[in-house]
Amino acid sequence: HSEPLGLQGVGGAGVGAAALPGLADDCMQTGPLPGPTAWPLFFDGQDPARAISVDMSHLDFGACSRLSASEFKPVAVTNHTSAKLTAFFSVPVWHDPAGGVPAPVFAVLPESADIKPGCQATFRVAFRPPRDGVHFAQTLHVRAHLKAMRNFRLVPDALVVPPWSLPVTATGHTFLHSHPEAAPRVELSAPLVSFPPCRPGERVFQTLMVANHGDTPAAYEFQAAALG
């Protein structure tokens, strides 16, 4: 399995956080994705206004035992809107290849929380694996909607606002008391990424391909110090 990564380069030192929503269109047209807004959507998602945000987008539980639940990992959800929101996690079920009743392997508490404007709520995520010698990787989704729209009868159809959603990846494995964990087999499309010239205040983009040739998930991250 291979995954393309969009890497961005910023010219000059005068670009602050306030400039991010207003990127120049001519700078966006250098990428292979279609449309002038493709790159902002690639980096900022479908909600560039950041109505909600999470402090952790990846939870790695590492090696755990199926005989006991792991320690909870906190995820803070922040409400950046001017209205009260209700947030909750959507947790998928895991289908055992050996059969059995599908069941979730990650648990989230509380089930939902109301978040006042400018405030945050903390959810706790636990890993509860049912089998030994298995890698688990799932995408949990944080859903948030206006509390005033908890029921479609409370608002006219023309004023209904769709909920927001953010992904949180959760991984873990149960190789603790079984055979050793398989070594990752990851390949990069290029050992060096070179960016073309960029004018101050604008951005250029390059693509790096990460290919996983193994039969288990492989996690990776970019060190902030290495990126300058």
Side-chain angles (χ1 to χ4, degrees), residues 133-170:
V134 179
H135 272 280
F136 298 89
Q138 289 187 327
T139 300
L140 318 180
H141 288 275
V142 180
R143 319 283 190 185
H145 62 84
L146 295 172
K147 184 176 177 61
M149 298 186 181
R150 60 190 178 275
N151 190 308
F152 70 92
R153 294 186 179 90
L154 299 177
V155 231
D157 292 346
L159 299 180
V160 171
V161 177
W164 295 275
S165 177
L166 286 179
V168 176
T169 305

PDB file of all heavy atoms in Angstrom, residues 133-170:
ATOM      1  N   GLY A 133      -1.522 -11.303  18.943  1.00  0.00           N
ATOM      2  CA  GLY A 133      -0.806 -11.359  17.685  1.00  0.00           C
ATOM      3  C   GLY A 133      -1.486 -10.661  16.531  1.00  0.00           C
ATOM      4  O   GLY A 133      -1.435 -11.133  15.395  1.00  0.00           O
ATOM      5  N   VAL A 134      -2.115  -9.515  16.800  1.00  0.00           N
ATOM      6  CA  VAL A 134      -2.846  -8.784  15.764  1.00  0.00           C
ATOM      7  C   VAL A 134      -2.499  -7.302  15.840  1.00  0.00           C
ATOM      8  O   VAL A 134      -2.355  -6.749  16.941  1.00  0.00           O
ATOM      9  CB  VAL A 134      -4.374  -8.967  15.906  1.00  0.00           C
ATOM     10  CG1 VAL A 134      -5.113  -8.176  14.834  1.00  0.00           C
ATOM     11  CG2 VAL A 134      -4.749 -10.443  15.825  1.00  0.00           C
ATOM     12  N   HIS A 135      -2.359  -6.681  14.683  1.00  0.00           N
ATOM     13  CA  HIS A 135      -2.260  -5.219  14.587  1.00  0.00           C
ATOM     14  C   HIS A 135      -3.660  -4.645  14.417  1.00  0.00           C
ATOM     15  O   HIS A 135      -4.470  -5.168  13.651  1.00  0.00           O
ATOM     16  CB  HIS A 135      -1.403  -4.814  13.390  1.00  0.00           C
ATOM     17  CG  HIS A 135       0.059  -4.723  13.690  1.00  0.00           C
ATOM     18  ND1 HIS A 135       0.616  -3.635  14.305  1.00  0.00           N
ATOM     19  CD2 HIS A 135       1.067  -5.596  13.460  1.00  0.00           C
ATOM     20  CE1 HIS A 135       1.923  -3.826  14.436  1.00  0.00           C
ATOM     21  NE2 HIS A 135       2.220  -5.010  13.938  1.00  0.00           N
ATOM     22  N   PHE A 136      -3.933  -3.563  15.112  1.00  0.00           N
ATOM     23  CA  PHE A 136      -5.224  -2.889  15.001  1.00  0.00           C
ATOM     24  C   PHE A 136      -4.979  -1.443  14.582  1.00  0.00           C
ATOM     25  O   PHE A 136      -4.123  -0.762  15.163  1.00  0.00           O
ATOM     26  CB  PHE A 136      -5.995  -2.917  16.319  1.00  0.00           C
ATOM     27  CG  PHE A 136      -6.348  -4.298  16.800  1.00  0.00           C
ATOM     28  CD1 PHE A 136      -5.468  -5.011  17.609  1.00  0.00           C
ATOM     29  CD2 PHE A 136      -7.554  -4.893  16.445  1.00  0.00           C
ATOM     30  CE1 PHE A 136      -5.785  -6.282  18.058  1.00  0.00           C
ATOM     31  CE2 PHE A 136      -7.881  -6.158  16.894  1.00  0.00           C
ATOM     32  CZ  PHE A 136      -6.997  -6.860  17.694  1.00  0.00           C
ATOM     33  N   ALA A 137      -5.719  -0.985  13.587  1.00  0.00           N
ATOM     34  CA  ALA A 137      -5.638   0.407  13.142  1.00  0.00           C
ATOM     35  C   ALA A 137      -7.010   0.826  12.637  1.00  0.00           C
ATOM     36  O   ALA A 137      -7.536   0.222  11.697  1.00  0.00           O
ATOM     37  CB  ALA A 137      -4.593   0.575  12.039  1.00  0.00           C
ATOM     38  N   GLN A 138      -7.584   1.818  13.264  1.00  0.00           N
ATOM     39  CA  GLN A 138      -8.909   2.288  12.887  1.00  0.00           C
ATOM     40  C   GLN A 138      -8.959   3.810  12.930  1.00  0.00           C
ATOM     41  O   GLN A 138      -8.159   4.451  13.620  1.00  0.00           O
ATOM     42  CB  GLN A 138      -9.990   1.715  13.808  1.00  0.00           C
ATOM     43  CG  GLN A 138     -10.263   0.227  13.624  1.00  0.00           C
ATOM     44  CD  GLN A 138     -11.444  -0.239  14.448  1.00  0.00           C
ATOM     45  OE1 GLN A 138     -11.700   0.250  15.537  1.00  0.00           O
ATOM     46  NE2 GLN A 138     -12.191  -1.208  13.916  1.00  0.00           N
ATOM     47  N   THR A 139      -9.911   4.359  12.196  1.00  0.00           N
ATOM     48  CA  THR A 139     -10.133   5.802  12.192  1.00  0.00           C
ATOM     49  C   THR A 139     -11.399   6.107  12.976  1.00  0.00           C
ATOM     50  O   THR A 139     -12.495   5.684  12.586  1.00  0.00           O
ATOM     51  CB  THR A 139     -10.262   6.338  10.758  1.00  0.00           C
ATOM     52  OG1 THR A 139      -9.059   6.062  10.039  1.00  0.00           O
ATOM     53  CG2 THR A 139     -10.489   7.844  10.777  1.00  0.00           C
ATOM     54  N   LEU A 140     -11.229   6.799  14.083  1.00  0.00           N
ATOM     55  CA  LEU A 140     -12.358   7.279  14.869  1.00  0.00           C
ATOM     56  C   LEU A 140     -12.706   8.683  14.369  1.00  0.00           C
ATOM     57  O   LEU A 140     -11.825   9.446  13.982  1.00  0.00           O
ATOM     58  CB  LEU A 140     -12.009   7.312  16.353  1.00  0.00           C
ATOM     59  CG  LEU A 140     -11.225   6.116  16.913  1.00  0.00           C
ATOM     60  CD1 LEU A 140     -10.959   6.322  18.393  1.00  0.00           C
ATOM     61  CD2 LEU A 140     -11.951   4.820  16.663  1.00  0.00           C
ATOM     62  N   HIS A 141     -13.986   9.016  14.404  1.00  0.00           N
ATOM     63  CA  HIS A 141     -14.404  10.331  13.914  1.00  0.00           C
ATOM     64  C   HIS A 141     -15.041  11.126  15.039  1.00  0.00           C
ATOM     65  O   HIS A 141     -15.943  10.642  15.725  1.00  0.00           O
ATOM     66  CB  HIS A 141     -15.394  10.190  12.760  1.00  0.00           C
ATOM     67  CG  HIS A 141     -14.773   9.709  11.487  1.00  0.00           C
ATOM     68  ND1 HIS A 141     -14.171  10.550  10.583  1.00  0.00           N
ATOM     69  CD2 HIS A 141     -14.641   8.457  10.979  1.00  0.00           C
ATOM     70  CE1 HIS A 141     -13.705   9.858   9.570  1.00  0.00           C
ATOM     71  NE2 HIS A 141     -13.978   8.581   9.781  1.00  0.00           N
ATOM     72  N   VAL A 142     -14.546  12.341  15.225  1.00  0.00           N
ATOM     73  CA  VAL A 142     -15.158  13.278  16.171  1.00  0.00           C
ATOM     74  C   VAL A 142     -16.248  14.033  15.422  1.00  0.00           C
ATOM     75  O   VAL A 142     -15.976  14.727  14.434  1.00  0.00           O
ATOM     76  CB  VAL A 142     -14.123  14.268  16.740  1.00  0.00           C
ATOM     77  CG1 VAL A 142     -14.788  15.219  17.724  1.00  0.00           C
ATOM     78  CG2 VAL A 142     -12.984  13.533  17.411  1.00  0.00           C
ATOM     79  N   ARG A 143     -17.478  13.880  15.862  1.00  0.00           N
ATOM     80  CA  ARG A 143     -18.600  14.594  15.249  1.00  0.00           C
ATOM     81  C   ARG A 143     -19.055  15.699  16.201  1.00  0.00           C
ATOM     82  O   ARG A 143     -19.096  15.498  17.418  1.00  0.00           O
ATOM     83  CB  ARG A 143     -19.774  13.651  14.990  1.00  0.00           C
ATOM     84  CG  ARG A 143     -19.400  12.288  14.450  1.00  0.00           C
ATOM     85  CD  ARG A 143     -19.063  12.290  12.990  1.00  0.00           C
ATOM     86  NE  ARG A 143     -18.938  10.939  12.476  1.00  0.00           N
ATOM     87  CZ  ARG A 143     -18.554  10.638  11.251  1.00  0.00           C
ATOM     88  NH1 ARG A 143     -18.263  11.605  10.401  1.00  0.00           N
ATOM     89  NH2 ARG A 143     -18.461   9.368  10.855  1.00  0.00           N
ATOM     90  N   ALA A 144     -19.393  16.840  15.624  1.00  0.00           N
ATOM     91  CA  ALA A 144     -19.886  17.957  16.434  1.00  0.00           C
ATOM     92  C   ALA A 144     -20.994  18.671  15.678  1.00  0.00           C
ATOM     93  O   ALA A 144     -20.882  18.898  14.465  1.00  0.00           O
ATOM     94  CB  ALA A 144     -18.756  18.933  16.766  1.00  0.00           C
ATOM     95  N   HIS A 145     -22.051  19.000  16.379  1.00  0.00           N
ATOM     96  CA  HIS A 145     -23.157  19.730  15.768  1.00  0.00           C
ATOM     97  C   HIS A 145     -23.644  20.800  16.750  1.00  0.00           C
ATOM     98  O   HIS A 145     -23.364  20.742  17.957  1.00  0.00           O
ATOM     99  CB  HIS A 145     -24.309  18.779  15.411  1.00  0.00           C
ATOM    100  CG  HIS A 145     -24.911  18.075  16.591  1.00  0.00           C
ATOM    101  ND1 HIS A 145     -25.882  18.645  17.393  1.00  0.00           N
ATOM    102  CD2 HIS A 145     -24.664  16.840  17.123  1.00  0.00           C
ATOM    103  CE1 HIS A 145     -26.229  17.805  18.354  1.00  0.00           C
ATOM    104  NE2 HIS A 145     -25.499  16.695  18.213  1.00  0.00           N
ATOM    105  N   LEU A 146     -24.345  21.767  16.230  1.00  0.00           N
ATOM    106  CA  LEU A 146     -24.911  22.812  17.080  1.00  0.00           C
ATOM    107  C   LEU A 146     -25.931  22.187  18.030  1.00  0.00           C
ATOM    108  O   LEU A 146     -26.814  21.445  17.609  1.00  0.00           O
ATOM    109  CB  LEU A 146     -25.575  23.884  16.233  1.00  0.00           C
ATOM    110  CG  LEU A 146     -24.657  24.708  15.320  1.00  0.00           C
ATOM    111  CD1 LEU A 146     -25.480  25.590  14.405  1.00  0.00           C
ATOM    112  CD2 LEU A 146     -23.688  25.539  16.140  1.00  0.00           C
ATOM    113  N   LYS A 147     -25.792  22.498  19.295  1.00  0.00           N
ATOM    114  CA  LYS A 147     -26.709  21.919  20.278  1.00  0.00           C
ATOM    115  C   LYS A 147     -28.146  22.336  19.999  1.00  0.00           C
ATOM    116  O   LYS A 147     -29.098  21.575  20.239  1.00  0.00           O
ATOM    117  CB  LYS A 147     -26.298  22.332  21.689  1.00  0.00           C
ATOM    118  CG  LYS A 147     -27.148  21.682  22.787  1.00  0.00           C
ATOM    119  CD  LYS A 147     -26.641  22.037  24.170  1.00  0.00           C
ATOM    120  CE  LYS A 147     -27.549  21.443  25.250  1.00  0.00           C
ATOM    121  NZ  LYS A 147     -27.607  19.973  25.187  1.00  0.00           N
ATOM    122  N   ALA A 148     -28.333  23.536  19.463  1.00  0.00           N
ATOM    123  CA  ALA A 148     -29.683  24.006  19.154  1.00  0.00           C
ATOM    124  C   ALA A 148     -30.312  23.205  18.019  1.00  0.00           C
ATOM    125  O   ALA A 148     -31.524  23.274  17.815  1.00  0.00           O
ATOM    126  CB  ALA A 148     -29.644  25.484  18.784  1.00  0.00           C
ATOM    127  N   MET A 149     -29.479  22.420  17.291  1.00  0.00           N
ATOM    128  CA  MET A 149     -29.998  21.633  16.173  1.00  0.00           C
ATOM    129  C   MET A 149     -29.954  20.144  16.486  1.00  0.00           C
ATOM    130  O   MET A 149     -29.760  19.315  15.599  1.00  0.00           O
ATOM    131  CB  MET A 149     -29.200  21.933  14.903  1.00  0.00           C
ATOM    132  CG  MET A 149     -29.298  23.371  14.455  1.00  0.00           C
ATOM    133  SD  MET A 149     -28.488  23.663  12.872  1.00  0.00           S
ATOM    134  CE  MET A 149     -28.769  25.428  12.698  1.00  0.00           C
ATOM    135  N   ARG A 150     -30.104  19.805  17.762  1.00  0.00           N
ATOM    136  CA  ARG A 150     -30.082  18.397  18.143  1.00  0.00           C
ATOM    137  C   ARG A 150     -31.312  17.648  17.631  1.00  0.00           C
ATOM    138  O   ARG A 150     -31.350  16.415  17.618  1.00  0.00           O
ATOM    139  CB  ARG A 150     -29.985  18.260  19.661  1.00  0.00           C
ATOM    140  CG  ARG A 150     -31.150  18.895  20.415  1.00  0.00           C
ATOM    141  CD  ARG A 150     -30.860  18.943  21.899  1.00  0.00           C
ATOM    142  NE  ARG A 150     -31.934  19.578  22.653  1.00  0.00           N
ATOM    143  CZ  ARG A 150     -32.040  20.883  22.829  1.00  0.00           C
ATOM    144  NH1 ARG A 150     -31.134  21.687  22.285  1.00  0.00           N
ATOM    145  NH2 ARG A 150     -33.030  21.403  23.538  1.00  0.00           N
ATOM    146  N   ASN A 151     -32.336  18.397  17.219  1.00  0.00           N
ATOM    147  CA  ASN A 151     -33.545  17.792  16.676  1.00  0.00           C
ATOM    148  C   ASN A 151     -33.985  18.608  15.468  1.00  0.00           C
ATOM    149  O   ASN A 151     -34.006  19.845  15.520  1.00  0.00           O
ATOM    150  CB  ASN A 151     -34.654  17.770  17.740  1.00  0.00           C
ATOM    151  CG  ASN A 151     -35.855  16.937  17.316  1.00  0.00           C
ATOM    152  OD1 ASN A 151     -36.405  17.114  16.245  1.00  0.00           O
ATOM    153  ND2 ASN A 151     -36.272  16.029  18.196  1.00  0.00           N
ATOM    154  N   PHE A 152     -34.298  17.924  14.368  1.00  0.00           N
ATOM    155  CA  PHE A 152     -34.639  18.650  13.148  1.00  0.00           C
ATOM    156  C   PHE A 152     -35.913  19.470  13.302  1.00  0.00           C
ATOM    157  O   PHE A 152     -36.174  20.387  12.524  1.00  0.00           O
ATOM    158  CB  PHE A 152     -34.790  17.663  11.978  1.00  0.00           C
ATOM    159  CG  PHE A 152     -35.996  16.767  12.061  1.00  0.00           C
ATOM    160  CD1 PHE A 152     -37.196  17.135  11.467  1.00  0.00           C
ATOM    161  CD2 PHE A 152     -35.930  15.564  12.747  1.00  0.00           C
ATOM    162  CE1 PHE A 152     -38.305  16.317  11.538  1.00  0.00           C
ATOM    163  CE2 PHE A 152     -37.038  14.732  12.824  1.00  0.00           C
ATOM    164  CZ  PHE A 152     -38.234  15.107  12.218  1.00  0.00           C
ATOM    165  N   ARG A 153     -36.724  19.173  14.308  1.00  0.00           N
ATOM    166  CA  ARG A 153     -37.954  19.934  14.503  1.00  0.00           C
ATOM    167  C   ARG A 153     -37.693  21.305  15.128  1.00  0.00           C
ATOM    168  O   ARG A 153     -38.583  22.153  15.144  1.00  0.00           O
ATOM    169  CB  ARG A 153     -38.909  19.144  15.406  1.00  0.00           C
ATOM    170  CG  ARG A 153     -39.414  17.846  14.787  1.00  0.00           C
ATOM    171  CD  ARG A 153     -40.458  17.191  15.678  1.00  0.00           C
ATOM    172  NE  ARG A 153     -40.983  15.957  15.097  1.00  0.00           N
ATOM    173  CZ  ARG A 153     -40.458  14.767  15.301  1.00  0.00           C
ATOM    174  NH1 ARG A 153     -39.388  14.646  16.091  1.00  0.00           N
ATOM    175  NH2 ARG A 153     -40.974  13.690  14.735  1.00  0.00           N
ATOM    176  N   LEU A 154     -36.482  21.527  15.654  1.00  0.00           N
ATOM    177  CA  LEU A 154     -36.178  22.794  16.327  1.00  0.00           C
ATOM    178  C   LEU A 154     -35.786  23.895  15.352  1.00  0.00           C
ATOM    179  O   LEU A 154     -35.765  25.066  15.725  1.00  0.00           O
ATOM    180  CB  LEU A 154     -35.045  22.577  17.336  1.00  0.00           C
ATOM    181  CG  LEU A 154     -35.319  21.577  18.465  1.00  0.00           C
ATOM    182  CD1 LEU A 154     -34.088  21.418  19.333  1.00  0.00           C
ATOM    183  CD2 LEU A 154     -36.513  22.028  19.295  1.00  0.00           C
ATOM    184  N   VAL A 155     -35.440  23.537  14.110  1.00  0.00           N
ATOM    185  CA  VAL A 155     -34.963  24.534  13.157  1.00  0.00           C
ATOM    186  C   VAL A 155     -35.629  24.350  11.800  1.00  0.00           C
ATOM    187  O   VAL A 155     -35.896  23.221  11.400  1.00  0.00           O
ATOM    188  CB  VAL A 155     -33.445  24.411  12.925  1.00  0.00           C
ATOM    189  CG1 VAL A 155     -32.729  25.705  13.092  1.00  0.00           C
ATOM    190  CG2 VAL A 155     -32.837  23.313  13.714  1.00  0.00           C
ATOM    191  N   PRO A 156     -35.883  25.440  11.101  1.00  0.00           N
ATOM    192  CA  PRO A 156     -36.402  25.308   9.738  1.00  0.00           C
ATOM    193  C   PRO A 156     -35.375  24.615   8.836  1.00  0.00           C
ATOM    194  O   PRO A 156     -34.167  24.695   9.066  1.00  0.00           O
ATOM    195  CB  PRO A 156     -36.642  26.770   9.302  1.00  0.00           C
ATOM    196  CG  PRO A 156     -36.699  27.547  10.571  1.00  0.00           C
ATOM    197  CD  PRO A 156     -35.820  26.842  11.548  1.00  0.00           C
ATOM    198  N   ASP A 157     -35.841  23.960   7.807  1.00  0.00           N
ATOM    199  CA  ASP A 157     -34.949  23.225   6.910  1.00  0.00           C
ATOM    200  C   ASP A 157     -33.882  24.127   6.299  1.00  0.00           C
ATOM    201  O   ASP A 157     -32.730  23.717   6.107  1.00  0.00           O
ATOM    202  CB  ASP A 157     -35.756  22.551   5.792  1.00  0.00           C
ATOM    203  CG  ASP A 157     -36.636  21.436   6.321  1.00  0.00           C
ATOM    204  OD1 ASP A 157     -36.418  21.018   7.482  1.00  0.00           O
ATOM    205  OD2 ASP A 157     -37.548  20.989   5.594  1.00  0.00           O
ATOM    206  N   ALA A 158     -34.253  25.359   5.992  1.00  0.00           N
ATOM    207  CA  ALA A 158     -33.312  26.265   5.329  1.00  0.00           C
ATOM    208  C   ALA A 158     -32.167  26.695   6.240  1.00  0.00           C
ATOM    209  O   ALA A 158     -31.154  27.210   5.759  1.00  0.00           O
ATOM    210  CB  ALA A 158     -34.053  27.493   4.804  1.00  0.00           C
ATOM    211  N   LEU A 159     -32.318  26.510   7.540  1.00  0.00           N
ATOM    212  CA  LEU A 159     -31.295  26.964   8.488  1.00  0.00           C
ATOM    213  C   LEU A 159     -30.498  25.809   9.093  1.00  0.00           C
ATOM    214  O   LEU A 159     -29.667  26.026   9.977  1.00  0.00           O
ATOM    215  CB  LEU A 159     -31.948  27.780   9.616  1.00  0.00           C
ATOM    216  CG  LEU A 159     -32.686  29.050   9.194  1.00  0.00           C
ATOM    217  CD1 LEU A 159     -33.269  29.738  10.421  1.00  0.00           C
ATOM    218  CD2 LEU A 159     -31.752  29.991   8.439  1.00  0.00           C
ATOM    219  N   VAL A 160     -30.725  24.598   8.633  1.00  0.00           N
ATOM    220  CA  VAL A 160     -30.006  23.450   9.183  1.00  0.00           C
ATOM    221  C   VAL A 160     -28.538  23.502   8.750  1.00  0.00           C
ATOM    222  O   VAL A 160     -28.230  23.675   7.562  1.00  0.00           O
ATOM    223  CB  VAL A 160     -30.641  22.128   8.722  1.00  0.00           C
ATOM    224  CG1 VAL A 160     -29.772  20.943   9.116  1.00  0.00           C
ATOM    225  CG2 VAL A 160     -32.025  21.980   9.329  1.00  0.00           C
ATOM    226  N   VAL A 161     -27.633  23.390   9.717  1.00  0.00           N
ATOM    227  CA  VAL A 161     -26.191  23.379   9.452  1.00  0.00           C
ATOM    228  C   VAL A 161     -25.685  21.947   9.623  1.00  0.00           C
ATOM    229  O   VAL A 161     -25.918  21.338  10.669  1.00  0.00           O
ATOM    230  CB  VAL A 161     -25.448  24.325  10.415  1.00  0.00           C
ATOM    231  CG1 VAL A 161     -23.943  24.250  10.183  1.00  0.00           C
ATOM    232  CG2 VAL A 161     -25.946  25.740  10.236  1.00  0.00           C
ATOM    233  N   PRO A 162     -25.010  21.374   8.643  1.00  0.00           N
ATOM    234  CA  PRO A 162     -24.507  20.005   8.784  1.00  0.00           C
ATOM    235  C   PRO A 162     -23.434  19.923   9.868  1.00  0.00           C
ATOM    236  O   PRO A 162     -22.759  20.919  10.163  1.00  0.00           O
ATOM    237  CB  PRO A 162     -23.934  19.685   7.405  1.00  0.00           C
ATOM    238  CG  PRO A 162     -23.653  21.014   6.785  1.00  0.00           C
ATOM    239  CD  PRO A 162     -24.693  21.941   7.326  1.00  0.00           C
ATOM    240  N   PRO A 163     -23.264  18.785  10.477  1.00  0.00           N
ATOM    241  CA  PRO A 163     -22.264  18.651  11.541  1.00  0.00           C
ATOM    242  C   PRO A 163     -20.848  18.680  10.993  1.00  0.00           C
ATOM    243  O   PRO A 163     -20.620  18.469   9.798  1.00  0.00           O
ATOM    244  CB  PRO A 163     -22.589  17.291  12.165  1.00  0.00           C
ATOM    245  CG  PRO A 163     -23.244  16.532  11.068  1.00  0.00           C
ATOM    246  CD  PRO A 163     -24.017  17.544  10.266  1.00  0.00           C
ATOM    247  N   TRP A 164     -19.904  18.939  11.878  1.00  0.00           N
ATOM    248  CA  TRP A 164     -18.490  18.894  11.531  1.00  0.00           C
ATOM    249  C   TRP A 164     -17.920  17.535  11.924  1.00  0.00           C
ATOM    250  O   TRP A 164     -18.421  16.868  12.828  1.00  0.00           O
ATOM    251  CB  TRP A 164     -17.734  20.003  12.254  1.00  0.00           C
ATOM    252  CG  TRP A 164     -18.152  21.385  11.836  1.00  0.00           C
ATOM    253  CD1 TRP A 164     -17.698  22.095  10.769  1.00  0.00           C
ATOM    254  CD2 TRP A 164     -19.109  22.228  12.483  1.00  0.00           C
ATOM    255  NE1 TRP A 164     -18.308  23.309  10.700  1.00  0.00           N
ATOM    256  CE2 TRP A 164     -19.183  23.427  11.744  1.00  0.00           C
ATOM    257  CE3 TRP A 164     -19.914  22.069  13.611  1.00  0.00           C
ATOM    258  CZ2 TRP A 164     -20.025  24.473  12.101  1.00  0.00           C
ATOM    259  CZ3 TRP A 164     -20.763  23.110  13.959  1.00  0.00           C
ATOM    260  CH2 TRP A 164     -20.812  24.296  13.213  1.00  0.00           C
ATOM    261  N   SER A 165     -16.846  17.142  11.262  1.00  0.00           N
ATOM    262  CA  SER A 165     -16.242  15.845  11.533  1.00  0.00           C
ATOM    263  C   SER A 165     -14.734  15.942  11.379  1.00  0.00           C
ATOM    264  O   SER A 165     -14.238  16.553  10.421  1.00  0.00           O
ATOM    265  CB  SER A 165     -16.799  14.774  10.592  1.00  0.00           C
ATOM    266  OG  SER A 165     -16.176  13.530  10.806  1.00  0.00           O
ATOM    267  N   LEU A 166     -14.011  15.355  12.323  1.00  0.00           N
ATOM    268  CA  LEU A 166     -12.555  15.296  12.262  1.00  0.00           C
ATOM    269  C   LEU A 166     -12.101  13.861  12.520  1.00  0.00           C
ATOM    270  O   LEU A 166     -12.630  13.192  13.413  1.00  0.00           O
ATOM    271  CB  LEU A 166     -11.916  16.224  13.303  1.00  0.00           C
ATOM    272  CG  LEU A 166     -11.960  17.728  13.047  1.00  0.00           C
ATOM    273  CD1 LEU A 166     -11.307  18.470  14.204  1.00  0.00           C
ATOM    274  CD2 LEU A 166     -11.251  18.075  11.740  1.00  0.00           C
ATOM    275  N   PRO A 167     -11.120  13.348  11.761  1.00  0.00           N
ATOM    276  CA  PRO A 167     -10.636  11.986  11.983  1.00  0.00           C
ATOM    277  C   PRO A 167      -9.558  11.931  13.067  1.00  0.00           C
ATOM    278  O   PRO A 167      -8.733  12.835  13.191  1.00  0.00           O
ATOM    279  CB  PRO A 167     -10.057  11.595  10.616  1.00  0.00           C
ATOM    280  CG  PRO A 167      -9.576  12.898  10.047  1.00  0.00           C
ATOM    281  CD  PRO A 167     -10.519  13.969  10.555  1.00  0.00           C
ATOM    282  N   VAL A 168      -9.585  10.874  13.839  1.00  0.00           N
ATOM    283  CA  VAL A 168      -8.540  10.576  14.823  1.00  0.00           C
ATOM    284  C   VAL A 168      -8.134   9.116  14.609  1.00  0.00           C
ATOM    285  O   VAL A 168      -8.963   8.216  14.774  1.00  0.00           O
ATOM    286  CB  VAL A 168      -9.018  10.787  16.271  1.00  0.00           C
ATOM    287  CG1 VAL A 168      -7.924  10.363  17.263  1.00  0.00           C
ATOM    288  CG2 VAL A 168      -9.396  12.242  16.511  1.00  0.00           C
ATOM    289  N   THR A 169      -6.905   8.881  14.221  1.00  0.00           N
ATOM    290  CA  THR A 169      -6.423   7.532  13.960  1.00  0.00           C
ATOM    291  C   THR A 169      -5.947   6.892  15.260  1.00  0.00           C
ATOM    292  O   THR A 169      -5.192   7.502  16.025  1.00  0.00           O
ATOM    293  CB  THR A 169      -5.274   7.545  12.950  1.00  0.00           C
ATOM    294  OG1 THR A 169      -5.703   8.214  11.764  1.00  0.00           O
ATOM    295  CG2 THR A 169      -4.841   6.128  12.596  1.00  0.00           C
ATOM    296  N   ALA A 170      -6.382   5.664  15.508  1.00  0.00           N
ATOM    297  CA  ALA A 170      -5.984   4.909  16.703  1.00  0.00           C
ATOM    298  C   ALA A 170      -5.337   3.605  16.268  1.00  0.00           C
ATOM    299  O   ALA A 170      -5.880   2.888  15.418  1.00  0.00           O
ATOM    300  CB  ALA A 170      -7.190   4.633  17.592  1.00  0.00           C
TER     301      ALA A 170
END
